[in-house]
Amino acid sequence: DFRYVQSEPQAYEFAKLYYPDVYEKIKEMVKEGKWEPVGGMWLEPDCNIPSGESFVRQLLYGKRFFMEEFGIETKIEWLPDVFGFSAALPQILKKAGIDYFMTIKISWNDTNRFPYTHFFWRGIDGTTIETFFPRALNQDINVRELREAWQRLQETGPAPKIAYLYGYGDGGGGPTREQIEKGKRFSKLPALPSLKFSTAKEFFEAIKGSENLPIWDDELYLERHRGTLTTQARNKRWNRKAEFLLRDAEFLSFFSGSYPKEKFDRAWKLVLLNQFHDILPGSSIGEVYVDSERDYREIFSIGEEIKGNALRILGERINTEGEGKEAVIVFNSLSFPRKSLVEIELPRGVKVNADCQRSGEKLLFSADVPPMGYRVYQVIEGEPEEGGLTVREDHLENDLFSLDVDDEGRITRLYDKLNDREVLSAPGNELLLFHDLGDAWEVEKDYEVKFWKLGKAKKQVMERGPLRGILRLEWQFGNSRMVQDLTIYRDIPRIDFVTYVDWHEKHKLLKVAFPVNVRARYATYNIAYGNLQRPTHRNTSWEQARFEVSGHKWADLSDSGYGVSLMNDCKYGYDIRENVMRLSLLRAPTAPDPEADQGEHWFTYALHPHTEGLNSTVEWAYDLNVPLIAKREGIHKGDLPSEFSFVSPEGVIIGAVKRAEDDDSLIIRCYEPLGRWTKARIKIASDIKEAMECDLLERPTGKVEIADDTLIFDVHPFEIKTFKLKV
């Protein structure tokens, strides 16, 4: 009667590679129905930090592996040990053909007991997925634990059956012969529920829900392991950079006509592997991060090689003729037109035909580029103008903002000139060092009791140009050093804090705080393919327990007419209480890795005051994370014009442009970022011969309207859409 359940296609692929004889026996057991592959994702990843597209690729690679190797399409997402779950997941799981979700981890809450065992989990777009929480993992088969599991079920709603996940130890949960024998014997005892050896599929089909199941409409927040949003910061940075690098490389490669799919597969599988729920959260031993760094070096090598080759091919095809003896082609991989800054190495005595500024050995210029396309600039003789923005040791100013800076490097006043608004209610850019006794997993609830400020900052004006101004701040504290370039721009409505830290603290947590002049009961946080509101007050125990929460590229605090967004390029831990916005920058736990986070770190956070709602926040946060790409090119004719857009969307953000898995079709994935219903359009710079809407595994689900090589479709709030096109 014995049945075995095993998740993670990555583990199967390792077995296939290193133990082929054992793998063939596994395949035989799967055919016999004694071994059940479960879970749709490539492995059991962290579910707070990966991007929306990373979740899609986890499912794309994972489900296809099981279908190709075993002829099985898994319908159960099996993530027992993961540290909380993004509210974007229900839609992503259902659009990948997953019907059921299982975890045990939310029962680990340190403050509140989760009210349900069997329920529908509803995500940000309204999609629901049937969910079951077993009591625990690797349970022994004994009378006490069986009775407690049954009692727990009765307290959270009547159900005829429960899943009891038995096994020995905490290293994989393999069962023992004794446990199997006890399971057979205990099924005959009248004081216990009847026991049956079964599969996960049989269990979920047996309890398949009804309309009476309760609904949980929120993220599945784990009231524990909050430190994993910050620990091992280098890995989190590499993950963010790798996700965007592969996105850019796929887009450029498809339209260049050179698409090395095997290399993309290798890079993506390494990204997915390093999103495992102890690697990416930072809760592994030190040896893991030696391996992980090696993997990321390979990812970046593959991605940069592919991107460089695509840029070379496109550069040769683009007509660069003009007034110069050389050209610079600026590529924009994002979904919207951008006016932003580009840095490129050019010798002194030349500039481009745009507003320029000299920055050391590099030329800085303002580029205006169409969405998902490029524009050619001419290199001409001459030197850029000097001066323009006001940058002093105590004051920075442009046409947008006026900032006063004190001796500690704090912004004591930030005035929004366009909107006649004081942005801060108290000094901002307040860097705070907290005494943090937690291990890699935990930020203790009372961590705020003991803290320090960094003290006086050494100041130096670094740039005072027409396009950008930089005031450098430097702190020495403890055994560490921080250097920060406080940066303002002529055309970019952000204040950037470009930061380097040589970090040698132990049991410390570094945060930055901005008390903003905004009253709002809810803050909005960017998550995978969408955003989520969370309360800023702490009325209930549920709200008090969420003293550290996840966010991706930005978090925002807005009233009905004005808001402030706190952005970053590689951080994930936020707390916003009342009007104080804080971002966690670095931790220094000593277990399980005594050297966690020691050494050098680079990151940027930014402040964006606005009156335009979240639309400007979404775009400027992407701009911070995905710089424009500049390529020097000789002067020549070409079949592509000097300015061009390959893909032009309206109403949606493009998450991926790639070649299809099984043929040379174009796959475009997009999402609605603001939480509103809209009629969206995506224009393709090619003849569309056929277009179908697909699920996340690229299987057609219906036709889409086409007019003038433009896809026209309705999109619901936060909805993800995938299209497959013959072009």
Side-chain angles (χ1 to χ4, degrees), residues 240-255:
R240 176 87 63 90
K241 302 304 181 187
E243 289 172 335
F244 280 124
L245 172 60
L246 294 183
R247 177 193 179 277
D248 285 359
E250 286 179 334
F251 157 64
L252 293 166
S253 292
F254 185 89
F255 285 103

Side-chain angles (χ1 to χ4, degrees), residues 74-90:
T74 54
K75 296 290 185 178
I76 303 162
E77 191 49 60
W78 187 271
L79 300 172
D81 193 41
V82 175
F83 312 154
F85 302 92
S86 169
L89 276 173

Side-chain angles (χ1 to χ4, degrees), residues 358-567:
R358 180 59 65 176
S359 178
E361 296 304 312
K362 293 185 177 182
L363 186 74
L364 185 72
F365 68 95
S366 178
D368 199 345
V369 193
M372 304 202 84
Y374 63 85
R375 183 177 176 183
V376 174
Y377 289 86
Q378 297 292 317
V379 178
I380 57 177
E381 293 183 357
E383 282 289 343
E385 294 181 8
E386 297 182 2
L389 302 181
T390 300
V391 183
R392 301 195 303 266
E393 289 188 359
D394 63 347
H395 184 77
L396 296 86
E397 189 166 347
N398 56 19
D399 289 342
L400 306 172
F401 307 116
S402 175
L403 296 82
D404 292 335
V405 183
D406 70 8
D407 290 341
E408 296 179 13
R410 303 180 306 171
I411 300 175
T412 54
R413 187 191 186 205
L414 174 53
Y415 177 61
D416 182 340
K417 297 166 73 172
L418 295 183
N419 297 294
D420 189 20
R421 176 93 173 213
E422 295 289 347
V423 178
L424 301 176
S425 61
N429 198 37
E430 180 90 82
L431 291 156
L432 302 170
L433 200 62
F434 295 93
H435 192 47
D436 175 19
L437 291 175
D439 56 18
W441 291 269
E442 308 301 343
V443 173
E444 301 295 338
K445 290 183 178 181
D446 61 352
Y447 78 93
E448 293 177 288
V449 171
K450 189 175 182 180
F451 67 91
W452 303 263
K453 299 179 182 180
L454 297 196
K456 285 192 175 183
K458 180 182 176 182
K459 302 181 191 178
Q460 182 182 3
V461 174
M462 300 299 294
E463 286 188 15
R464 193 187 287 115
L467 300 178
R468 183 174 71 184
I470 298 176
L471 174 64
R472 177 160 292 175
L473 308 169
E474 182 175 347
W475 295 267
Q476 295 281 350
F477 59 96
N479 297 310
S480 303
R481 172 174 169 259
M482 176 186 285
V483 180
Q484 184 174 88
D485 285 348
L486 198 170
T487 308
I488 61 171
Y489 305 94
R490 187 192 70 179
D491 299 320
I492 298 175
R494 284 192 326 248
I495 299 102
D496 288 356
F497 302 83
V498 183
T499 308
Y500 161 82
V501 185
D502 188 14
W503 179 250
H504 296 284
E505 304 305 304
K506 297 289 186 180
H507 294 295
K508 298 294 187 295
L509 169 60
L510 180 65
K511 283 178 173 276
V512 64
F514 291 92
V516 298
N517 190 25
V518 174
R519 159 65 177 159
R521 299 183 69 247
Y522 291 87
T524 307
Y525 300 79
N526 174 226
I527 63 172
Y529 276 161
N531 63 66
L532 179 69
Q533 286 192 327
R534 299 183 179 107
T536 59
H537 48 78
R538 300 292 185 267
N539 292 344
T540 70
S541 60
W542 292 89
E543 292 150 0
Q544 292 160 14
R546 299 189 187 194
F547 60 83
E548 186 84 358
V549 298
S550 65
H552 286 199
K553 297 180 293 297
W554 55 266
D556 181 81
L557 194 64
S558 291
D559 58 28
S560 62
Y562 195 85
V564 181
S565 298
L566 178 55
M567 303 171 174

Side-chain angles (χ1 to χ4, degrees), residues 657-697:
V657 173
K658 63 183 286 286
R659 202 184 81 182
E661 293 297 303
D662 297 321
D663 56 37
D664 61 357
S665 298
L666 170 62
I667 297 292
I668 294 182
R669 187 157 23 257
C670 63
Y671 71 101
E672 195 289 309
L674 303 176
R676 65 187 182 191
W677 295 67
T678 188
K679 176 76 76 174
R681 299 170 182 269
I682 301 176
K683 182 173 178 57
I684 313 296
S686 181
D687 294 330
I688 301 176
K689 299 177 181 178
E690 181 183 350
M692 301 289 289
E693 186 171 352
C694 300
D695 67 7
L696 298 181
L697 271 61

Side-chain angles (χ1 to χ4, degrees), residues 23 110 117 200 211 215 225 308 311 416 454 471 503 523 583 612 657 689:
Y23 186 68
D110 60 20
T117 295
E211 295 179 357
I215 294 175
H225 295 359
L311 290 171
D416 182 340
L454 297 196
L471 174 64
W503 179 250
L583 180 68
E612 303 171 27
V657 173
K689 299 177 181 178

